[in-house]
Amino acid sequence: MTSIRIEHIDTPEGRALWREMLDRMPGLQGTLNYVTAQQDRSSERHLRWYQRELFERWFFRVPCPRTGRMIHSGDSWTVHERKTLFRFPDAPELILASANLGDGFPISTALLPELGAGLTFGSRVWSLTPEEATEALTAFARPEWQSLRPANAAIALCGDENYAHVLWNQLPALQEAARLPHWRGPVTLYSLLEPLGDVRDLLPALKDWPVERFGPYRMPNAPGQVTFCFGSTYIDRQTRLDVLAHARQAVSPSLRRLIGQIGGRFPVVWISVRTGNRTATNQRAFLVALCTGILRHWPKSAILLDGFSLPANHSYRPRDEMVQAVERDRTEIAAIRRAVCPSAPDGEQRVIDASGLSITDSIALAEHASLSVCHHGTIQHKIGWTVGVPGVVHSNRQVLERTPGQWAAEQAEGVAVPYYLPPELVVDEEVDLTNINVERFSLLNGNYRFASPDEAATHALRELARQLRVGTL
C-alpha cells in the first residue's frame, strides 16, 4: 500500500489538505468541532470523553460527516506505539485516531482513506505517523477486516515502563472508569507492563475486573473488537491514597531496616542523584556542598540519596539499561558519601544510599522524608506526586524559565508546590543534535551545570529551612 500522507493543521500543507478534505466532505467540520469541544472540558483530565463511553458501552459517538446524526464507533486497530485508529460502520470513509499517553490519548487525527491522507490537530510530536496509518490501513484491507461492524468485545490497554505515566496517566483514569455503569460488562484490561504492581492490588475498585497479561507492547487487535488506550492528566486524592497504601503493604524487609535506620532523625531530606541525561554535569560538587550544609545546620538530620528505581513487578527481566542506571547511580552516590562523611563524625549513618529500590519501596520510603531536593521530572514526581513532600527542584534554564512549580502541583490533588531554583544559578550545556530524532529530542531537556555549586547549594539550603519553618540561614 502507498504510504498515507499526514499533515498537521498548523502548517501550510495542513491547511491546504484541510480545504481539500472539506471539499470532499463538508460535514467533517462539524465532526471535528464536536471532538475538539468535548476535549476542551475540564473533566477530560480524569478520563477522556470517548474512553468514558467505551468503558460504559464499548462504543463512542460522533456526528456523521455526511448526515450530521450521531453514529457509533466500531472496531479499531492499535499500533505498537499505542496509537489507535477507530472505524465507523455508518461512515466507512472516516477514521479517527488517538495518540499521546502524556495527554491522556486525545483523538487528534482524522483520516480519509479514499483520499490517502490524514490531518493531525494535536501534538506535533506524539501524533499518528504516515507509517502507523499505513500499517493500520493495510490491516483493515485484509479479508477478515473488510466487514465493518459494531464491536463485540472491548479491551483497554494499560501499563507502561515509566511508573510516572502509570501513576499520572492511567491509574486515575481507571479509578474513574470503575465508577461508571458498565452496560455490557467490564472492559477487559490488557496489562502490558506493571512497574507499580498489579492494577487490582493498586486500586481496590478494580479487584474484580478481568485482566490479561502478555508480552510487552504486544497489541491484541482482532476484527470486530475495539481495543483502545485510555488516560488521565490529574492524580486524584483517592488514587494517591491507594498507591501509598499498596506501597506500605508491599514493603520489603531491607526497606524496613532502612526505615529503622532513620528513625528519630529530623529532618529527613530526600535528594535525587541522576547520572544519565537531563542532569547537572557538576552535580557532585553541588550535592557535596548541599549535604555538608544539611548535616551542619541540622545536627539530627538524615539524608536519603535517591537514584534510579526498579520496577516493582515485571513479567520479564529488567532491561540491561535499567541495571546499568542503578549501578551508575550507586557509584556516584558512593563518591558523594565519601566526600561528605569526613566532615561529619556520624556521616556514615546519616547519609544513606537509597538507590536501586523498587519503585514501591521508594514511595514507601518517601513517606518518611520531611523535605526533598530533586531533578525536574519523574524523579521529583516519585516523591512530589505520591507523598506531596515539599522541596526544591533544579533543572536547566529552559525548564526553570518556565517556572513550572505551580504546574507540577496542579497535576496531583493535595500536594505541595515545589520551589524551582532561579534560572540564573545554572548554565545550559550544549546539546549534540546528531542522530537525535524529534521524539528523542522532546524527552531530552538537556544537561546543565551550576554556575557556582556552592552558591546553588546555599540557596537550596535557605529554601529548605524556610519550608521547614525553622528560620533562615
Side-chain angles (χ1 to χ4, degrees):
M1 174 179 285
T2 304
S3 180
I4 301 300
R5 174 188 171 202
I6 303 284
E7 304 288 356
H8 196 281
I9 186 63
D10 289 335
T11 63
E13 297 80 8
R15 289 188 286 274
L17 175 59
W18 179 230
R19 290 190 292 271
E20 186 179 353
M21 293 171 78
L22 289 180
D23 286 342
R24 181 178 291 248
M25 190 183 297
L28 185 59
Q29 178 77 67
T31 304
L32 296 193
N33 284 348
Y34 177 85
V35 169
T36 54
Q38 293 286 87
Q39 294 182 164
D40 282 342
R41 298 185 303 174
S42 60
S43 59
E44 292 288 280
R45 297 199 67 191
H46 302 275
L47 183 67
R48 292 286 178 183
W49 63 276
Y50 77 92
Q51 300 158 14
R52 187 181 301 270
E53 294 189 8
L54 286 167
F55 274 116
E56 287 180 334
R57 62 197 77 206
W58 302 4
F59 63 79
F60 66 92
R61 296 158 291 187
V62 296
C64 176
R66 294 290 185 193
T67 67
R69 66 182 178 84
M70 299 300 283
I71 57 174
H72 296 177
S73 64
D75 54 15
S76 66
W77 181 273
T78 301
V79 301
H80 177 77
E81 291 297 328
R82 292 174 295 170
K83 303 168 188 178
T84 303
L85 292 85
F86 298 97
R87 301 199 294 178
F88 299 87
D90 293 330
E93 65 273 30
L94 173 67
I95 292 175
L96 295 179
S98 65
N100 194 357
L101 169 60
D103 198 24
F105 289 109
I107 289 176
S108 55
T109 302
L111 282 173
L112 300 186
E114 292 182 359
L115 189 60
L119 185 77
T120 291
F121 46 92
S123 166
R124 290 175 178 269
V125 177
W126 306 106
S127 58
L128 189 71
T129 67
E131 295 75 19
E132 291 160 344
T134 301
E135 173 196 323
L137 293 184
T138 299
F140 290 152
R142 296 171 190 159
E144 66 271 26
W145 281 89
Q146 288 181 4
S147 175
L148 272 71
R149 67 199 84 178
N152 56 27
I155 289 181
L157 299 175
C158 66
D160 190 82
E161 190 169 67
N162 186 327
Y163 75 87
H165 279 312
V166 176
L167 173 67
W168 180 39
N169 302 125
Q170 295 188 338
L171 296 182
L174 286 174
Q175 193 85 261
E176 184 74 10
R179 302 185 184 105
L180 300 174
H182 303 115
W183 304 112
R184 302 176 68 177
V187 170
T188 298
L189 298 180
Y190 188 103
S191 187
L192 302 172
L193 295 168
E194 299 178 316
L196 289 167
D198 188 326
V199 292
R200 291 173 299 189
D201 293 336
L202 286 161
L203 304 182
L206 299 178
K207 63 182 178 64
D208 296 323
W209 276 48
V211 176
E212 296 182 13
R213 292 179 177 82
F214 294 88
Y217 302 115
R218 175 183 161 197
M219 301 298 106
N221 298 308
Q225 170 183 283
V226 61
T227 301
F228 67 99
C229 301
F230 57 89
S232 57
T233 56
Y234 181 74
I235 306 170
D236 62 286
R237 189 182 301 275
Q238 187 59 54
T239 298
R240 286 182 57 226
L241 293 175
D242 285 347
V243 169
L244 285 169
H246 171 70
R248 292 188 207 107
Q249 187 175 12
V251 163
S252 66
S254 60
L255 182 63
R256 292 188 190 280
R257 290 192 293 271
L258 195 157
I259 292 171
Q261 187 176 343
I262 60 175
R265 297 288 183 182
F266 185 84
V268 176
V269 186
W270 171 293
I271 299 178
S272 69
V273 176
R274 183 172 186 143
T275 53
N277 56 16
R278 293 179 285 168
T279 191
T281 53
N282 57 353
Q283 169 185 245
R284 187 182 302 177
F286 166 70
L287 293 185
V288 168
L290 178 63
C291 291
T292 302
I294 290 170
L295 295 179
R296 182 176 62 249
H297 187 62
W298 290 302
K300 295 185 177 180
S301 63
I303 297 170
L304 300 171
L305 294 176
D306 168 64
F308 190 88
S309 294
L310 292 169
N313 180 15
H314 256 277
S315 58
Y316 65 99
R317 184 176 62 87
R319 291 187 294 109
D320 290 342
E321 296 95 312
M322 294 182 178
V323 177
Q324 291 164 6
V326 169
E327 291 307 313
R328 286 197 307 268
D329 289 356
R330 282 178 170 162
T331 299
E332 182 64 18
I333 288 171
I336 293 168
R337 294 180 75 234
R338 284 195 300 270
V340 172
C341 291
S343 66
D346 57 351
E348 292 286 345
Q349 289 73 43
R350 295 172 61 195
V351 184
I352 299 165
D353 180 354
S355 65
L357 300 174
S358 72
I359 182 59
T360 49
D361 267 1
S362 284
I363 290 171
L365 179 61
E367 280 203 284
H368 297 268
S370 319
L371 298 164
S372 65
V373 179
C374 292
H375 294 72
H376 170 75
T378 55
I379 293 179
Q380 187 274 331
H381 306 336
K382 189 192 306 184
I383 186 169
W385 284 356
T386 55
V387 181
V389 169
V392 174
V393 183
H394 55 92
S395 187
N396 59 42
R397 290 184 68 98
Q398 180 183 358
V399 170
L400 296 178
E401 287 171 353
R402 298 201 303 263
T403 58
Q406 190 62 42
W407 175 90
E410 289 174 352
Q411 308 315 302
E413 185 178 6
V415 303
V417 178
Y419 174 85
Y420 277 70
L421 288 180
E424 57 266 24
L425 292 178
V426 303
V427 178
D428 285 354
E429 299 280 15
E430 291 291 330
V431 178
D432 183 4
L433 300 180
T434 306
N435 299 322
I436 296 179
N437 63 29
V438 65
E439 291 188 358
R440 178 62 180 159
F441 182 70
S442 73
L443 294 173
L444 184 62
N445 290 328
N447 288 342
Y448 52 99
R449 69 181 186 276
F450 295 102
S452 167
D454 289 342
E455 182 181 345
T458 298
H459 189 102
L461 192 55
R462 284 180 178 143
E463 175 59 23
L464 292 176
R466 186 193 66 80
Q467 292 184 6
L468 205 58
R469 303 182 187 278
V470 293
T472 58
L473 298 179

